[in-house]
Amino acid sequence: MDILVVGGGGREHAVIKALAASPKTGRIYCAPGNGGISKLAECFPVKATDVDGMVALAEKLRPDYVFVTPDDPLVMGMVDRLNEKGFRTFGPRANAAILEGSKVFSKGLMKKYGIPTAAYETFTDADKAIAYIKSQNSYPAVIKCDGLALGKGVIIAQNEQEAVEAVNSMLIGGKFGKSGSEIVIEEFMTGPEVTVLAFTDGKTVKPMVSSMDHKRANDGDEGLNTGGMGTIAPNPLYTAKYADECMEKIFKPTIEAMQKEGRPFKGCLYFGLMLTPNGAKVVEYNCRFGDPEAQVVLPLLKTDLVEIIEAVWEERLDKLDIEWYNGSCACVVMASGGYPQKYETGKPISGFDADGQLADGKAYVYHAGTKLENGTFLTAGGRVLGVTATAETLQAALDKAYEAVGEISFEGVHFRKDIGHRALGK
Ligand code: AMP
Ligand code: GLY
């Protein structure tokens, strides 16, 4: 089975590592890939958002499957285009990827089908939005732009002035372009966050082990929002009781709702959940694996990922038992200094062997933003590496991951020192 993976971050590296472990896998291709990925897959310089270019690459390589990993190409309809050309794919078509592509759509779906989420209103007119905020007079207020915004389209306003500024920046200032021409204003929820990724073929939903992201840049959950600074799996706060509740009230109803709407979702559906005092509620849906959630969930997958991809494509996920290892996994992201704002790239990374791994094999290093030049790995992005370890307990996995982090360095490196602390009750 030859497989083309679309994307080029740590998540794609994790997908490729899992694919490479399958006896069913033949050649693995990746576009655009990165330095670390190039050690497992043949990389091609086609951007993940270049739909025409990717279709042309698939026609040249003729893979058995194309695994479309990032949100943008999914929302843009890359899967639809590939299917039209006869390629088998993993990932939702555009009419289902809209679950992430439009918050107005996803909130409307949850309202229509009674799926628990924060109460909300939508607006296209700034005056009406501001009048609503003043009438609610409740802070923090949560203001979200409708479309994709690189994870930056959510503003938690602490007071009226911040809320008004957020509304104006989106609806009048055009801060997020078309993505922000409609906004959602919603109730502020409290409680720990949990990510649950799930395989679904449009009819059956099979949740993976839960995880917890650490989105803020600095220790103690302070600083700016990032794509994710580290993850752990499973998430100890997500008990079996929550898993049952979410299956009945959130996971199954979502899959059924999408099916009823004529938008069957095939691929990996990301449930961003909050365990509020009134039960688990949906914060957001994503139409793909999380990054860096994939880096801690996939290493715990015992079942062959290629078999799952086939079962999803052939819509027989109900017949497949998906098994998981018992231990825990932890991933610590090593980022460029300054991320998520301005940062420098091109810094040589020390501590690696020729494969961009640690010679002692203590941890696996998922490359997020690296390139390989004349045999040297250089930094090439904000998030650079996801140093990942598996062990029997979460504490042991974290200890191993941090020990490995200590063996790798590059100029200006920044990483959080408290990944997993909250999960461990520290
Ligand atoms: P989203 O992109 O929708 O996941 O939002 C980004 C982050 O903002 C989430 O991970 C939460 O930490 C926070 N957030 C979003 N919506 C809410 C809400 N209604 N109440 C509290 N926090 C929220
Ligand atoms: N780690 C959050 C996300 O992938 O959206």
Side-chain angles (χ1 to χ4, degrees):
M1 205 80 79
D2 295 344
I3 304 171
L4 167 61
V5 176
V6 175
R11 168 184 56 195
E12 287 74 10
H13 195 172
V15 166
I16 287 168
K17 178 87 169 27
L19 294 174
S22 168
K24 292 194 155 192
T25 300
R27 291 169 180 276
I28 307 177
Y29 308 112
C30 185
N34 65 38
I37 289 174
S38 73
K39 295 295 175 177
L40 295 175
E42 190 179 346
C43 295
F44 297 86
V46 178
K47 277 196 197 148
T49 48
D50 178 359
V51 179
D52 290 337
M54 206 59 75
V55 172
L57 181 65
E59 289 191 305
K60 193 177 103 186
L61 300 170
R62 309 298 312 170
D64 297 290
Y65 275 95
V66 184
F67 194 121
V68 184
T69 330
D71 47 6
D72 299 275
L74 290 165
V75 171
M76 288 161 77
M78 187 180 280
V79 164
D80 308 55
R81 288 282 306 283
L82 288 161
N83 291 164
E84 277 161 26
K85 297 280 182 192
F87 291 103
R88 290 181 285 185
T89 47
F90 183 85
R93 297 168 74 99
N95 73 350
I98 191 174
L99 216 40
E100 174 170 5
S102 168
K103 296 217 189 268
V104 174
F105 172 84
S106 62
K107 295 295 289 189
L109 186 91
M110 288 186 269
K111 190 183 260 181
K112 181 169 170 188
Y113 291 92
I115 297 165
T117 188
Y120 77 103
E121 295 290 334
T122 64
F123 298 92
T124 51
D125 181 277
D127 291 336
K128 287 192 181 137
I130 289 166
Y132 173 75
I133 283 167
K134 288 186 177 164
S135 74
Q136 295 285 306
N137 192 33
S138 161
Y139 301 97
V142 183
I143 298 151
K144 301 184 174 187
C145 73
D146 175 46
L148 297 181
L150 297 167
K152 294 178 184 139
V154 175
I155 294 173
I156 314 272
Q158 300 299 336
N159 52 48
E160 185 179 307
Q161 188 196 343
E162 280 181 29
V164 168
E165 274 170 22
V167 167
N168 284 336
S169 75
M170 291 179 189
L171 290 179
I172 296 173
K175 185 166 176 198
F176 298 105
K178 247 185 74 195
S179 281
S181 60
E182 187 162 11
I183 61 170
V184 171
I185 300 181
E186 67 179 32
E187 168 205 4
F188 180 76
M189 301 187 289
T190 55
E193 288 184 64
V194 179
T195 301
V196 179
L197 307 173
F199 292 110
T200 168
D201 60 4
K203 297 182 290 199
T204 302
V205 59
K206 298 247 165 133
M208 306 184 209
V209 293
S210 60
S211 53
M212 180 192 261
D213 194 5
H214 297 68
K215 284 192 173 140
R216 301 296 199 94
N218 301 324
D219 287 4
D221 291 324
E222 290 186 5
L224 294 170
N225 248 323
T226 71
M229 293 299 293
T231 34
I232 54 123
N235 185 334
L237 306 175
Y238 185 73
T239 56
K241 186 182 141 286
Y242 276 121
D244 290 345
E245 174 188 327
C246 290
M247 193 64 182
E248 291 316 311
K249 295 193 172 154
I250 296 175
F251 306 154
K252 276 193 203 154
T254 301
I255 298 307
E256 283 164 17
M258 290 298 278
Q259 202 178 18
K260 282 195 191 128
E261 295 292 313
R263 299 170 180 274
F265 189 107
K266 287 174 78 165
C268 170
L269 182 50
Y270 173 126
F271 295 91
L273 307 171
M274 199 172 271
L275 309 180
T276 77
N278 302 316
K281 295 190 183 187
V282 177
V283 179
E284 64 166 343
Y285 294 114
N286 291 328
C287 63
R288 50 171 175 86
F289 277 92
D291 186 345
E293 284 92 340
Q295 288 89 316
V296 287
V297 170
L298 289 174
L300 296 174
L301 176 63
K302 199 189 266 182
T303 304
D304 185 333
L305 179 58
V306 177
E307 280 185 22
I308 299 173
I309 290 173
E310 292 180 288
V312 167
W313 175 254
E314 291 164 12
E315 296 176 18
R316 50 173 178 76
L317 199 54
D318 58 332
K319 304 266 173 4
L320 187 72
D321 246 346
I322 300 182
E323 291 186 285
W324 299 90
Y325 293 109
N326 275 329
S328 287
C329 192
C331 170
V332 178
V333 169
M334 299 180 79
S336 299
Y339 172 78
Q341 288 177 300
K342 244 180 77 128
Y343 54 83
E344 290 175 13
T345 58
K347 311 289 183 197
I349 304 169
S350 70
F352 282 163
D353 65 10
D355 288 332
Q357 295 297 324
L358 291 166
D360 60 17
K362 194 174 293 157
Y364 195 82
V365 184
Y366 292 111
H367 287 226
T370 69
K371 65 177 174 189
L372 187 53
E373 248 177 45
N374 304 320
T376 303
F377 288 93
L378 303 176
T379 67
R383 290 189 291 177
V384 178
L385 306 167
V387 181
T388 305
T390 309
E392 255 174 56
T393 65
L394 176 57
Q395 184 65 61
L398 286 162
D399 289 346
K400 261 166 92 175
Y402 273 110
E403 210 178 304
V405 164
E407 293 171 19
I408 302 168
S409 63
F410 52 86
E411 192 188 313
V413 61
H414 168 69
F415 59 89
R416 277 182 62 164
K417 295 172 189 60
D418 66 344
I419 300 303
H421 281 198
R422 191 162 175 202
L424 287 167
K426 286 191 192 173

